[in-house]
Amino acid sequence: MTFRNGLDSLLRPEDSVLVLIDHQPYQLANVNSHEPMMVINNTVGLAKAAKAFGVPTILTTVIAERGGNLFPQIADVFPGQEIIDRTFINTWEDKTTVDAVKATGRKQLIIAGLWTEVCVAMPTIQALGEGWDVTVVTDASGGTSVEAHEVAIHRMIAAGANMMTWLAVASEWQRDWARMDTAVKITDVVVQHAGGSGIAYLWEQQLLNTPVPSTAG
């Protein structure tokens, strides 16, 4: 196995491309590894982070006519963008999707989707075999059971994939809070989608802007 370590192994927005796979009603209905609302929240947070950092994002569904359209919360992040609808279960066998990824010129491939054990594992393992640097966002994905999700993660790690959560991806893209062009944008995403971290930030801002009471003389 080739170990993933060193500075060059960290994600860089200029080298990243995100593929969101099959975040659709049919798949979500049988997600049992995560609370469904959290999967939606985390995926939208990931999508907004990608947009904030200018990371190309490929949106794809499988037979949307039957399985349902992409979650509108995700589609709304990229208004007017084409959503690639496939018949292949394995996204990496769908030429239109793969061509869209290759057209970006990026090699850090980031994947999230439903279900982890099927629609995430298949393209991840194939892309790894073709030389791609693949990161799977585990909390913007979900499986039909905790076991299915966890076994898929172990399988993909064994194949050489990198595992991260959405907030870790966003933080790695930011890397330095001195990068003010994106710091404000990603802070807004954290406030909207990072739960306690966002609330703590708002509280901090409240305290910093609260006048100190004058003491009686």
Side-chain angles (χ1 to χ4, degrees):
M1 178 185 296
T2 300
F3 289 98
R4 183 188 176 92
N5 51 37
L7 183 61
D8 287 344
S9 72
L10 299 181
L11 297 178
R12 299 171 296 279
E14 65 273 16
D15 292 328
S16 298
V17 53
L18 173 64
V19 181
L20 298 179
I21 301 172
D22 302 352
H23 291 91
Q24 299 168 253
Y26 176 82
Q27 281 82 350
L28 187 69
N30 198 30
V31 165
N32 296 294
S33 60
H34 295 72
E35 203 285 312
M37 285 301 296
M38 286 304 298
V39 174
I40 297 172
N41 173 78
N42 296 342
T43 307
V44 175
L46 176 63
K48 289 182 178 179
K51 186 171 185 178
F53 288 102
V55 172
T57 301
I58 312 301
L59 307 175
T60 182
T61 55
V62 61
I63 313 181
E65 183 179 358
R66 297 206 303 268
N69 295 325
L70 183 74
F71 302 154
Q73 297 95 324
I74 299 173
D76 288 348
V77 178
F78 307 101
Q81 179 170 320
E82 178 188 3
I83 299 167
I84 301 170
D85 195 41
R86 317 177 321 278
T87 58
F88 278 105
I89 297 173
N90 175 12
T91 298
W92 219 244
E93 291 184 75
D94 182 74
K95 186 177 186 301
T96 301
T97 306
V98 175
D99 285 350
V101 173
K102 289 180 177 179
T104 69
R106 316 294 182 89
K107 287 297 285 185
Q108 289 187 327
L109 175 61
I110 302 169
I111 293 177
L114 306 178
W115 299 312
T116 319
E117 67 271 31
V118 180
C119 299
V120 175
M122 286 186 191
T124 294
I125 291 168
Q126 183 179 344
L128 285 165
E130 295 175 1
W132 291 80
D133 177 358
V134 184
T135 293
V136 172
V137 187
T138 59
D139 61 349
S141 304
T144 56
S145 67
V146 172
E147 180 181 9
H149 180 76
E150 291 182 350
V151 168
I153 288 173
H154 288 304
R155 184 184 180 203
M156 290 184 285
I157 290 173
N162 181 44
M163 300 292 145
M164 295 179 70
T165 56
W166 84 266
L167 191 54
V169 171
S171 299
E172 210 153 289
W173 279 337
Q174 178 62 35
R175 195 81 62 80
D176 184 350
W177 288 118
R179 298 173 178 172
M180 296 306 298
D181 56 329
T182 53
V184 174
K185 294 177 183 178
I186 198 57
T187 297
D188 287 341
V189 177
V190 168
V191 167
Q192 295 165 19
H193 297 282
S197 298
I199 296 301
Y201 172 79
L202 292 177
W203 183 37
E204 177 187 71
Q205 296 306 301
Q206 176 188 335
L207 295 177
L208 289 173
N209 288 283
T210 300
V212 177
S214 60
T215 57

